Amino acid sequence: MGNAVRGAIAFIPSERCQRFLVGDLKEMPLDRTLDLSGRQLRRLPAVACVFHELVKLYLSDNHLSSLPLELQGLRKLQLLALDFNCFEEFPPAICGLPQLNILYLGNNRLHHLPRELKELKELNTLWLETNCFTDFPQVVCELTNLKTLHLGYNLIRSLPDELRRLEELRSVWLAGNQLTDFPPVLMEMPFLAVIDVDRNKIRQFPSLSHMQGLKLVIYDHNPCINAPAVGEGVRRVGRWADSPDDEKEEDGTKVVSEAPPEEGEVCAEDQQDA
């Protein structure tokens, strides 16, 4: 009953009704963190934009589809969580947060990122999983401080060569996309520590043994005919992950004695796990 009442009140724009949803916030939280997740919000309460010393703002699991420009007043904001909302367009106000370094926007309906995103010079963590991207958002390649990128469960088919510019990038999560080939640009990024290409359509993997920084590669649930060869100490998650890389083709990939699956057929293990 509580959630039903909150859901109904969320449509009423009066300040009194908004206070019912978010509580009577009059003072800056001592830890400079404001958590308004799961409040059935359809608009950002004005009170959230007056705490100019705020460092973390959690707005996950609401019904937000836009943000007011007043959000830019939070000049010291470092973390903004907007996952599990209803955003179809990237809110422009976010690009005016100069100290932002962590942005969660997964599980929305985004299909495009604005050029202004490059103004977030401090951004090091970007989560955009489970949205509607059909192409890799090119502006991401200009986020030179980015360390973690999560673009899983979209409809991306390839990665741009410009991604190699992100020399600080250490983990890239691309599960559940439409990749048919292992992205060549990733092989030119030896500083990567984590690569996740689980649940794509990759049939053959190149050798990754030259990637000295690599610690984990996840390639399960692909219709693959081989496992990627990796250096000593690198963990693999996928078919033949525990097999030694003692038999190599000229390109360094694992020799598989069984016949490869027919065109359109996936590994039996994948069908069981699906």
Side-chain angles (χ1 to χ4, degrees):
M1 184 65 176
N3 284 338
V5 172
R6 284 178 179 273
I9 291 177
F11 283 98
I12 304 174
S14 75
E15 288 302 320
R16 183 177 179 181
C17 291
Q18 290 300 303
R19 284 198 298 271
F20 177 85
L21 296 176
V22 304
D24 194 11
L25 293 171
K26 294 182 179 179
E27 297 182 0
M28 160 76 68
L30 292 178
D31 60 359
R32 298 197 293 173
T33 297
L34 182 58
D35 189 350
L36 298 177
S37 300
R39 303 294 183 95
Q40 304 284 335
L41 298 175
R42 295 180 180 274
R43 66 186 182 92
L44 182 64
V47 66
C49 298
V50 301
F51 296 143
H52 294 163
E53 300 295 315
L54 207 62
V55 172
K56 298 179 181 179
L57 177 58
Y58 295 90
L59 295 167
S60 307
D61 194 20
N62 282 293
H63 301 289
L64 299 171
S65 59
S66 64
L67 295 175
L69 289 177
E70 287 79 5
L71 184 75
Q72 297 180 63
L74 306 182
R75 307 292 289 177
K76 297 184 179 181
L77 197 67
Q78 297 177 15
L79 183 152
L80 179 59
L82 295 167
D83 45 323
F84 293 96
N85 274 285
C86 304
F87 293 101
E88 296 184 6
E89 298 291 336
F90 188 92
I94 296 176
C95 300
L97 301 172
Q99 298 301 315
L100 194 66
N101 55 58
I102 300 175
L103 177 59
Y104 298 115
L105 264 168
N107 289 274
N108 279 282
R109 304 167 189 169
L110 299 172
H111 56 86
H112 173 73
L113 297 180
R115 293 287 302 164
E116 291 76 12
L117 185 68
K118 66 181 180 180
E119 300 302 324
L120 298 181
K121 306 295 186 182
E122 301 299 321
L123 196 66
N124 61 50
T125 300
L126 180 59
W127 285 50
L128 294 166
E129 78 284 4
T130 317
N131 274 283
C132 303
F133 293 99
T134 56
D135 296 310
F136 186 93
Q138 194 78 25
V139 68
V140 169
C141 299
E142 300 186 50
L143 299 172
T144 53
N145 279 322
L146 203 63
K147 291 180 170 58
T148 300
L149 175 61
H150 196 331
L151 265 166
Y153 299 96
N154 282 282
L155 298 168
I156 295 170
R157 297 180 179 274
S158 62
L159 304 185
D161 291 340
E162 291 81 359
L163 191 65
R164 68 166 70 93
R165 298 174 185 168
L166 302 186
E167 297 183 358
E168 298 297 321
L169 193 64
R170 294 296 179 266
S171 59
V172 56
W173 307 84
L174 297 165
N177 277 285
Q178 300 292 315
L179 301 173
T180 56
D181 296 301
F182 186 85
V185 67
L186 297 184
M187 292 187 286
E188 300 178 34
M189 304 172 72
F191 36 80
L192 283 173
V194 178
I195 298 175
D196 178 11
V197 289
D198 186 20
R199 298 184 186 276
N200 276 276
K201 300 180 179 182
I202 301 172
R203 293 186 60 82
Q204 186 168 358
F205 284 93
S207 173
L208 306 179
S209 58
H210 67 287
M211 301 185 67
Q212 298 181 356
L214 194 62
K215 293 180 173 58
L216 171 66
V217 55
I218 306 171
Y219 62 94
D220 209 7
H221 305 98
N222 279 280
C224 51
I225 63 173
N226 72 316
V230 294
E232 184 176 356
V234 179
R235 183 186 176 200
R236 296 184 297 192
V237 178
R239 199 178 189 194
W240 308 297
D242 297 326
S243 300
D245 293 327
D246 51 358
E247 297 182 16
K248 304 283 184 69
E249 296 282 8
E250 290 183 0
D251 63 357
T253 56
K254 179 80 170 62
V255 176
V256 180
S257 57
E258 59 189 276
E262 296 294 328
E263 185 68 30
E265 179 186 354
V266 298
C267 304
E269 291 180 8
D270 298 348
Q271 293 176 331
Q272 293 172 2
D273 292 339

